[in-house]
């Protein structure tokens, strides 16, 4: 079974803090994704990565950056956390960049920015 | 704006009732279509997907979906729901301009509550 893990289930941070969310997958997948999930808005893509050190902006990249130094690990960085970044963050991976591939999701990190 | 729409935000059914959740998208050209489900306290997981061939797709746990190209729709169905189907359901589309990379556009989600 594919396993996608996220470093924290719940996180509380203060406005202006730099926040790191970590995601690890154990199936040698090429593609990794970061989404945020908000009630009534579904999931929105923040960034994705199709290879080590390669990244591409999604639909809502503002205020976020990412890092992928190793194939199995994809980090989401909030440079200066703001209250409107309070959300559930989901990481996903897929075996390749083919459009038909299934994405496998982690359990999510619920972030509260005070 | 191009989008994916799920018209029902919250559906409440009794066990054994039939289910149909609507999903419409506004992208032209070739699309790939998915339904994902999130059970309470669990990871989001794939229910079924369509990318070519028979427009009636069968997934896990007795779910199926029908792709109707002329209506830009991919509705999810189940003939008889169970209490264990209580979950949030997300429709997702991989539109033509996102074919490389497998990126998805998700709908808003539909919360299904099944009363025992």
């Amino acid at each position: 079974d594919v396993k996608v893990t996220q470093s924290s289930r719940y996180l509380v941070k203060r406005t202006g803090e730099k926040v790191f969310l970590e995601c690890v997958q154990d199936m040698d997948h090429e593609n990794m994704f970061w989404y945020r999930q908000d009630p009534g808005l579904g999931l929105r893509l923040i960034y994705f990565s199709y290879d080590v050190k390669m990244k591409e902006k999604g639909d809502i990249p503002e205020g976020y950056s990412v890092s992928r130094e190793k194939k199995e690990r994809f980090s989401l960085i909030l440079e200066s956390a703001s209250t409107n970044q309070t959300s559930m963050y989901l990481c996903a991976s897929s075996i390749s960049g083919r459009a038909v591939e299934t994405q496998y999701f982690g359990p999510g990190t619920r972030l509260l920015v005070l | 704006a191009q989008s994916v729409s799920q018209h029902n935000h919250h559906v409440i059914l009794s066990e054994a009732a039939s289910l149909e959740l609507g999903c419409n998208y506004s992208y032209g050209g070739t699309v790939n279509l998915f339904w994902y489900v999130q059970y309470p306290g669990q990871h989001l997981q794939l229910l079924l997907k369509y990318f070519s061939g028979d427009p009636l797709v069968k997934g896990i746990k007795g779910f199926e979906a029908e792709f109707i190209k002329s209506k830009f729709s991919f509705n999810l169905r189940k003939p008889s729901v169970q209490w264990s189907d209580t979950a949030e359901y997300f429709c997702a589309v991989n539109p033509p301009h996102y074919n490389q990379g497998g990126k998805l556009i998700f709908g808003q989600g539909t919360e299904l509550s099944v009363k025992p």
Side-chain angles (χ1 to χ4, degrees), chain B:
Chain B
Q2 295 182 315
S3 66
V4 180
S5 296
Q6 292 180 241
H7 312 296
N8 312 103
H9 297 298
H10 192 186
V11 173
I12 302 172
L13 295 173
S14 297
E15 276 194 316
S18 65
L19 170 72
E20 181 159 2
L21 301 183
C23 175
N24 286 89
Y25 60 93
S26 60
Y27 303 94
T30 301
V31 294
N32 301 294
L33 301 156
F34 303 76
W35 276 97
Y36 281 83
V37 61
Q38 190 170 34
Y39 297 103
Q42 294 189 26
H43 303 197
L44 204 66
Q45 60 184 281
L46 181 73
L47 258 186
L48 48 79
K49 61 183 176 183
Y50 170 82
F51 51 95
S52 66
D54 189 343
L56 186 61
V57 181
K58 295 198 184 296
I60 61 171
K61 305 190 181 190
F63 286 91
E64 64 180 30
E66 185 175 13
F67 170 51
I68 303 179
K69 190 171 183 178
S70 60
K71 294 185 177 180
F72 297 86
S73 70
F74 190 55
N75 292 355
L76 181 71
R77 299 195 293 246
K78 186 171 184 179
S80 176
V81 294
Q82 301 172 313
W83 177 78
S84 57
D85 293 324
T86 294
E88 190 159 18
Y89 293 81
F90 293 93
C91 179
V93 175
N94 171 252
H97 61 281
Y98 270 3
N99 276 170
Q100 291 301 315
K103 292 179 284 185
L104 298 176
I105 307 296
F106 281 82
Q108 305 93 321
T110 297
E111 189 178 342
L112 172 66
S113 300
V114 180
K115 298 184 292 184

